Amino acid sequence: MNTNKAVQAWVDEMAKLTKPDRIEWIDGSKEQIESLKKEGFRTGDLIELDQEVLPGCVYHRTAVNDVARVEHLTFICTPTKEEAGPTNNWMAPDEAYNRLGKIFDGSMKGRTMYVIPYLLGTYGSPFTKVGIEITDSIYVVLNMLIMTRAGDIALKHLGDSDEFNKGLHGKEKRDLERRYICQFPQDNTIWSVGSGYGGNVLLGKKCFSLRVASYMGRNEGWMAEHMLILGLEDPKGNITYMTGAFPSACGKTNLAMLVPPDSFPGYKVWTVGDDIAWMRIGEDGRLWAMNPEFGFFGVAPGTSMKSNPNALLTMKSNSIYTNVVITPEKTVWWEGMGVEPPKKAWDWKGNEWTPESGEKGAQPNSRFTAPASQCPCISKEWENPKGVPISAIIFGGRRAKVAPLVYQSFDWNHGVFIGSMMGSETTAAATGQVGVVRRDPMAMLPFCGYNMVDYFRHWIKMGKKIPNPPKIFNVNWFRTDEQGKFIWPGYGENVRILDWIARRCSNQVVANETPIGYVPKPEDIDIKGLGISMKDIDRLLELKKEDWEVEIEDQKKFYEKFGDTLPEELNREYTNLKKRFGL
Ligand code: GTP
Ligand code: SPV
Ligand code: MN
């Protein structure tokens, strides 16, 4: 039961605007979850899956025009355009409240408004942030109950404080013309209307834990990043914790749950988080990362017992499947699941589908929502409110060319420069063209809640304040050969690169100094049992000056967006890189 006056007043105000028939507060109890599911089955919002094969699991389809984040309809609503910066869409707060207010007005008539109190972080921790999400979608409620610590626990944590994120979501007509995702960092507020898809509507995810939290972190001296967190245990039992920032659908969940191959014995990867890291300087002078989330919202296609067994095992129960194939037996399937497709089933659009149809059965950005606690390789530290001490930060992206398999920055600022220079081929995680290279600094281009140039500055400032900072690396699993095939086998084999990174962190291995940073000596990548040749390793580590020349020019164009506001340090790194290439 809510007794918090500020929460009540805000909920009343939102109810006055949206005019629902009834209001239901989410307490997080099992009984409530069951009754919400029943209601979802009744309205057709959810389909119950085979409860013997997939106990506690449900299926959901989004509207056909609503399958991914919509970056062109996502706005940072700061008082001035300059605060949002050149890489964000900006709308003045008054205009945004007005425009969305008109769409929200009366939009919940005849419907139930659900009030979801939730935590980002663990109960009782001083680092935890509280959000309240109002929504008219049962699907959102059930997802938020998996993705965050939600219900009475959040109200208890909040007490009588008025410090909570005010999130308003309405499905409305799911019309693209009336779809907006607006964050108001100064008001600790998010309004999202006209969508029913993941990152647009699970407001605790990208909207709060990155866009709004990055703004809070800058003001409060910490960092909110689009990063997985893992612990690599070596044969001696030492665990090295690392974070990794890769753009959407570029391999964070897979790396976070990696299973080393038999040919690389004695290693183990422990998952702390697969998408978001909040990082603070610890009393020991190191950078500590915690996962504010409670579940995984992962890409389904390509997830198999071979590529990511831990993900499949995590989602066997109490999970939600969105936009995958559903079979007559009420089980699920997707491309790259590694099992025979059903002979006849329904695709993500609800149409009859056969494997011979030539069409994809699962939407490329179809997803599973699963409780992190069910993950077989979850770290014993995953709920430690302080997080884990980070030895390495890894940047990465999808690059057919240019970026080698792995390299290390010379120091922190050079690492920030490498992060600021990240490029990656776009994926199905956001609407728009797929496969074109775009600059995506620190994998935060769509998620930075303020001016990116100030974000770069914040990184540089943090580096000065961390007495013992993590080392910074860049990886690329996606280099292709002349036929367009990936050269590196990836997935479990990536442990070999994590191992090199860990050995660099503990000064156990020397590296080649190159214009871009420290690149491994080919013989230091352990290829025992890998099935690729030393010649392939040479190709994976090769630096082509002509490719880098184009890359450097492209980065210049990106930096030009910021005019003369770009931090001195990054300009210097840029000039030095050019010089090292003799350009
Ligand atoms: P978001 O949830 O959108 O943030 O994505 P993510 O970064 O967690 O990506 P995820 O691990 O779900 O992987 C996305 C896609 O990349 C899947 O189709 C994977 O099969 C593929 N992928 C992941 N790791 C590798 C790898 O090492 N090599 C190759 N070739 N593909 C990979
Ligand atoms: C991403 O796109 O980076 C995701 C999925 O993790 S979403 O929740 O839609 O943002
Ligand atoms: Mn993500």
Side-chain angles (χ1 to χ4, degrees):
M1 255 312 281
N2 177 51
T3 54
N4 182 305
K5 289 201 177 70
V7 172
Q8 190 62 53
W10 174 71
V11 170
D12 289 345
E13 193 191 330
M14 295 304 105
K16 221 170 129 190
L17 173 66
T18 56
K19 307 179 181 60
D21 281 15
R22 47 186 292 275
I23 298 178
E24 182 171 341
W25 288 73
I26 300 305
D27 58 23
S29 67
K30 284 220 162 57
E31 301 74 51
Q32 191 180 38
I33 294 174
E34 286 317 308
S35 91
L36 286 167
K37 280 187 186 169
K38 281 213 181 84
E39 177 62 9
F41 301 147
R42 194 187 64 76
T43 58
D45 237 10
L46 302 174
I47 298 174
E48 185 163 44
L49 292 168
D50 182 331
Q51 293 301 292
E52 279 186 12
V53 185
L54 297 164
C57 294
V58 301
Y59 176 88
H60 174 79
R61 259 184 209 112
T62 64
V64 174
N65 74 355
D66 192 19
V67 295
R69 285 182 293 98
V70 279
E71 295 178 2
H72 63 297
L73 302 174
T74 299
F75 293 85
I76 301 300
C77 306
T78 42
T80 65
K81 188 170 190 316
E82 203 237 312
E83 285 161 279
T87 61
N88 279 313
N89 299 313
W90 174 79
M91 207 190 291
D94 281 355
E95 189 196 339
Y97 284 127
N98 239 309
R99 196 186 291 189
L100 276 70
K102 282 193 189 123
I103 305 173
F104 271 121
D105 191 358
S107 66
M108 295 188 192
K109 267 187 199 151
R111 307 243 280 277
T112 302
M113 171 170 135
Y114 301 98
V115 183
I116 320 164
Y118 67 93
L119 300 178
L120 294 179
T122 55
Y123 174 81
S125 161
F127 305 145
T128 292
K129 301 282 179 193
V130 182
I132 315 273
E133 174 163 358
I134 289 176
T135 179
D136 55 2
S137 159
I138 287 181
Y139 172 73
V140 168
V141 175
L142 294 175
N143 270 280
M144 286 295 286
L145 282 163
I146 297 173
M147 292 307 299
T148 68
R149 296 163 178 89
D152 284 347
I153 185 178
L155 289 175
K156 205 167 140 202
H157 177 101
L158 182 65
D160 55 12
S161 161
D162 61 1
E163 221 181 284
F164 61 93
N165 181 275
K166 303 177 194 70
L168 175 64
H169 165 249
K171 288 189 286 191
E172 225 260 335
K173 298 189 185 69
R174 280 171 287 170
D175 174 354
L176 260 173
E177 303 295 313
R178 290 157 73 82
R179 182 176 300 165
Y180 294 98
I181 323 298
C182 289
Q183 8 292 290
F184 306 83
Q186 278 86 351
D187 301 347
N188 197 2
T189 293
I190 302 156
W191 280 18
S192 161
V193 73
S195 171
Y197 169 78
N200 297 330
V201 301
L202 309 179
L203 302 187
K205 206 165 181 45
K206 299 301 163 47
C207 302
F208 187 3
S209 61
L210 288 180
R211 296 198 190 98
V212 174
S214 62
Y215 172 85
M216 292 174 161
R218 197 252 321 238
N219 293 341
E220 297 166 10
W222 52 280
M223 305 164 91
E225 300 296 334
H226 190 200
M227 289 178 179
L228 68 95
I229 313 168
L230 65 78
L232 175 71
E233 185 174 330
D234 70 14
K236 292 199 191 99
N238 297 320
I239 301 182
T240 307
Y241 290 100
M242 316 176 181
T243 63
F246 312 157
S248 302
C250 290
K252 289 184 298 302
T253 302
N254 275 273
L255 192 67
M257 297 179 191
L258 180 157
V259 180
D262 293 341
S263 54
F264 207 77
Y267 287 81
K268 171 114 188 108
V269 166
W270 299 102
T271 310
V272 180
D274 83 323
D275 200 49
I276 316 264
W278 284 2
M279 304 197 288
R280 283 188 173 70
I281 305 170
E283 282 154 19
D284 61 354
R286 302 182 66 185
L287 191 64
W288 288 64
M290 67 95 149
N291 170 14
E293 300 191 286
F294 200 45
F296 307 128
F297 184 62
V299 177
T303 309
S304 68
M305 279 312 276
K306 193 159 170 260
S307 67
N308 192 350
N310 285 319
L312 275 184
L313 296 170
T314 307
M315 62 175 110
K316 267 174 99 165
S317 56
N318 310 312
S319 298
I320 303 173
Y321 292 89
T322 305
N323 289 345
V324 299
V325 170
I326 182 167
T327 71
E329 296 76 34
K330 298 285 186 289
T331 59
V332 291
W333 185 86
W334 49 78
E335 281 75 17
M337 194 187 204
V339 296
E340 283 291 301
K343 292 206 166 50
K344 202 163 149 188
W346 290 274
D347 69 6
W348 68 275
K349 293 180 186 161
N351 297 327
E352 266 198 22
W353 175 89
T354 62
E356 293 78 40
S357 68
E359 303 251 322
K360 286 216 157 94
Q363 211 284 332
N365 190 36
S366 53
R367 300 237 168 199
F368 60 85
T369 320
S373 61
Q374 294 182 182
C375 180
C377 57
I378 198 79
S379 161
K380 61 180 191 329
E381 299 296 333
W382 88 280
E383 298 208 82
N384 186 335
K386 291 199 182 107
V388 292
I390 299 303
S391 301
I393 292 176
I394 309 170
F395 294 124
R398 280 180 190 264
R399 296 308 298 270
K401 294 201 281 188
V402 190
L405 183 57
V406 58
Y407 65 103
Q408 184 191 346
S409 77
F410 295 122
D411 54 31
W412 179 272
N413 279 355
H414 180 230
V416 176
F417 170 69
I418 290 173
S420 82
M421 220 181 139
M422 261 170 72
S424 192
E425 290 145 24
T426 50
T427 66
T431 56
Q433 214 185 337
V434 168
V436 291
V437 174
R438 71 166 182 186
R439 316 281 11 142
D440 187 353
M442 284 84 169
M444 283 289 278
L445 183 73
F447 307 121
C448 185
Y450 59 103
N451 194 324
M452 191 142 252
V453 96
D454 293 324
Y455 169 80
F456 293 152
R457 218 164 254 123
H458 183 49
W459 264 83
I460 291 165
K461 205 166 136 195
M462 287 296 292
K464 293 206 177 85
K465 288 201 297 195
I466 313 169
N468 192 0
K471 299 208 163 32
I472 301 181
F473 298 81
N474 193 90
V475 299
N476 176 25
W477 316 138
F478 299 94
R479 254 201 191 185
T480 53
D481 61 17
E482 295 71 29
Q483 280 78 46
K485 261 189 62 203
F486 295 126
I487 306 172
W488 179 247
Y491 302 98
E493 305 294 356
N494 293 336
V495 69
R496 299 170 194 267
I497 305 307
L498 297 184
D499 174 50
W500 183 79
I501 290 173
R503 284 186 287 139
R504 285 294 295 171
C505 291
S506 52
N507 301 314
Q508 292 178 57
V509 62
V510 290
N512 289 330
E513 196 172 327
T514 76
I516 63 167
Y518 298 113
V519 173
K521 293 183 185 296
E523 62 272 23
D524 286 329
I525 306 286
D526 187 338
I527 59 164
K528 202 167 29 339
L530 180 61
I532 72 171
S533 64
M534 264 336 262
K535 210 174 120 224
D536 287 328
I537 296 290
D538 289 341
R539 279 205 293 177
L540 286 161
L541 295 175
E542 189 182 14
L543 290 188
K544 284 202 179 130
K545 188 176 168 186
E546 62 272 25
D547 287 349
W548 278 89
E549 213 172 325
V550 177
E551 187 78 355
I552 288 168
E553 254 326 283
D554 201 46
Q555 182 62 12
K556 185 168 151 208
K557 280 196 210 109
F558 181 70
Y559 273 175
E560 275 167 2
K561 285 181 196 262
F562 305 105
D564 57 9
T565 63
L566 199 74
E568 207 4 69
E569 290 85 347
L570 293 185
N571 272 325
R572 204 175 311 135
E573 292 295 338
Y574 181 84
T575 313
N576 289 344
L577 175 66
K578 269 181 92 162
K579 266 200 210 132
R580 289 194 297 265
F581 268 114
L583 296 168

